[in-house]
Amino acid sequence: MDTGADTGADSGAGAGVEPDSGGEFLRCFGRQVKLLRETSGLTQAQLGERVGYGEAQIAAVEQGRRIPRPELVDAVDREVGARGVLVAMKGEVAKARYPGFFRRYAQLEPGAVELHAYDTHMIKGLLQTEEYARAVFRMWRPLLDEETVEQRVAARMERQKLFARRPAPLLSFVVEEHVLRRPLGGREVSRGQLEQLLLYGHMRNVELQVMPTGREEHAGLAGPFTLIHLGDQRRMAYTEVQDTSALYVDPRKVSPLEATYGILRAQALTPRESLIFIEKLLGEL
């Protein structure tokens, strides 16, 4: 699954829930912005005009209801004379975009040289369209407020910059057939999602494979997982269920999952067969 991903890692297995302090941090950051703005003698409207954002957006940042983009943090820091105080908090601001259990993984993902994922419930977050992601977050229980939904959607779209990174990482995905057939968000959302899968599936550094429901042999019955290889040769595995996650670095845990993934790829349709299968599904909508 990819609801959002991680708590931490140790030499073996790490699991648990990180306290989700992101909301409190954003409120604290917003109070800092307000104090610096008022000290500089600017209204919200004046600051918004100087940095190219609306008054309502500045107000939302000051109230901790909106996560500012890095470029907005840079601009506000400059206009209110913060001398780098706000810029120094950009990293923490970025982390607040994700639920607590996902933050450690989210920090690692941009540095991946290889990423391989098996999913059983929904399309991997890295592959989701904006509409599909929004539908997923609106179905979340307990219910997320609309501001949080939009923050999570924006963060998920930001992660997809991985596809455009150079040098390009090697990415592969094995997805269950029933996931592709599940019309989350409705017919048009499903159509858009299948079209996006075809686009990604034709990229040279991406291999997408479908696991047919009719397979009599299946190595992935223990559930979804993600393998991530970093540029410093570290190899990790990530698992997630509900709001609990684990990031593994011990080869005794990672190696069996790597072997499992290899078997899953052998059992699934080939990348070419998978694209043909997705095209067929798209024609049925």
Side-chain angles (χ1 to χ4, degrees):
M1 285 193 298
D2 187 6
T3 55
D6 167 60
T7 57
D10 56 29
S11 58
V17 180
E18 178 182 326
D20 198 347
S21 58
E24 181 55 41
F25 174 79
L26 288 175
R27 287 188 287 273
C28 179
F29 179 82
R31 289 193 292 269
Q32 291 282 347
V33 171
K34 181 179 180 180
L35 177 62
L36 289 164
R37 173 183 61 76
E38 292 177 341
T39 300
S40 65
L42 296 172
T43 65
Q44 291 177 340
Q46 290 170 332
L47 177 59
E49 184 177 355
R50 291 192 181 191
V51 299
Y53 284 78
E55 179 180 358
Q57 292 171 299
I58 299 299
V61 169
E62 291 186 353
Q63 294 164 16
R65 295 186 293 104
R66 179 179 292 275
I67 300 174
R69 293 183 176 275
E71 57 269 25
L72 175 57
V73 176
D74 291 336
V76 171
D77 186 282
R78 180 178 62 252
E79 294 299 331
V80 301
R83 299 183 179 182
V85 171
L86 298 178
V87 171
M89 292 188 277
K90 278 201 301 186
E92 293 301 315
V93 170
K95 286 197 297 184
R97 296 179 298 177
Y98 303 106
F101 65 89
F102 190 72
R103 289 178 192 149
R104 176 63 180 148
Y105 175 87
Q107 286 180 288
L108 296 170
E109 189 179 72
V113 295
E114 292 186 32
L115 190 147
H116 310 286
Y118 166 58
D119 280 291
T120 62
H121 288 71
M122 62 183 176
I123 302 297
K124 183 74 173 174
L126 277 173
L127 299 170
Q128 292 177 9
T129 65
E130 182 175 333
E131 294 76 15
Y132 186 98
R134 184 171 290 107
V136 168
F137 287 125
R138 283 179 173 167
M139 295 175 197
W140 196 257
R141 297 296 187 272
L143 288 171
L144 302 175
D145 60 69
E146 283 301 311
E147 190 72 29
T148 300
V149 167
E150 292 307 313
Q151 289 174 356
R152 298 280 174 87
V153 170
R156 181 153 291 181
M157 297 302 101
E158 185 78 10
R159 288 171 55 203
Q160 294 180 4
K161 289 181 177 179
L162 184 66
F163 287 97
R165 204 192 69 198
R166 295 293 179 270
L170 178 61
L171 307 172
S172 73
F173 306 89
V174 176
V175 59
E176 292 287 339
E177 175 186 340
H178 66 259
V179 171
L180 300 177
R181 293 186 179 277
R182 181 174 291 144
L184 296 183
R187 183 173 180 273
E188 289 307 312
V189 171
S190 294
R191 172 178 288 278
Q193 182 60 69
L194 291 176
E195 290 173 345
Q196 176 145 303
L197 289 179
L198 289 175
L199 289 174
Y200 281 140
H202 281 96
M203 296 176 69
R204 292 180 58 207
N205 64 312
V206 178
E207 293 188 325
L208 179 64
Q209 292 180 255
V210 176
M211 178 66 78
T213 302
R215 285 291 191 256
E216 295 182 0
E217 297 288 334
H218 198 310
L221 300 183
F225 58 90
T226 298
L227 302 171
I228 182 169
H229 301 171
L230 302 179
D232 57 9
Q233 304 303 311
R234 283 185 294 166
R235 305 166 77 90
M236 302 180 182
Y238 170 77
T239 61
E240 176 187 310
V241 60
Q242 298 296 335
D243 60 355
T244 301
S245 63
L247 186 66
Y248 300 99
V249 299
D250 190 329
R252 292 173 295 180
K253 182 64 178 181
V254 177
S255 294
L257 287 173
E258 290 178 329
T260 297
Y261 191 73
I263 298 172
L264 283 169
R265 295 197 68 180
Q267 293 172 335
L269 299 177
T270 68
R272 181 182 295 274
E273 291 170 339
S274 297
L275 293 180
I276 294 173
F277 183 86
I278 294 172
E279 289 176 348
K280 181 175 179 292
L281 287 182
L282 190 56
E284 294 173 0
L285 289 177

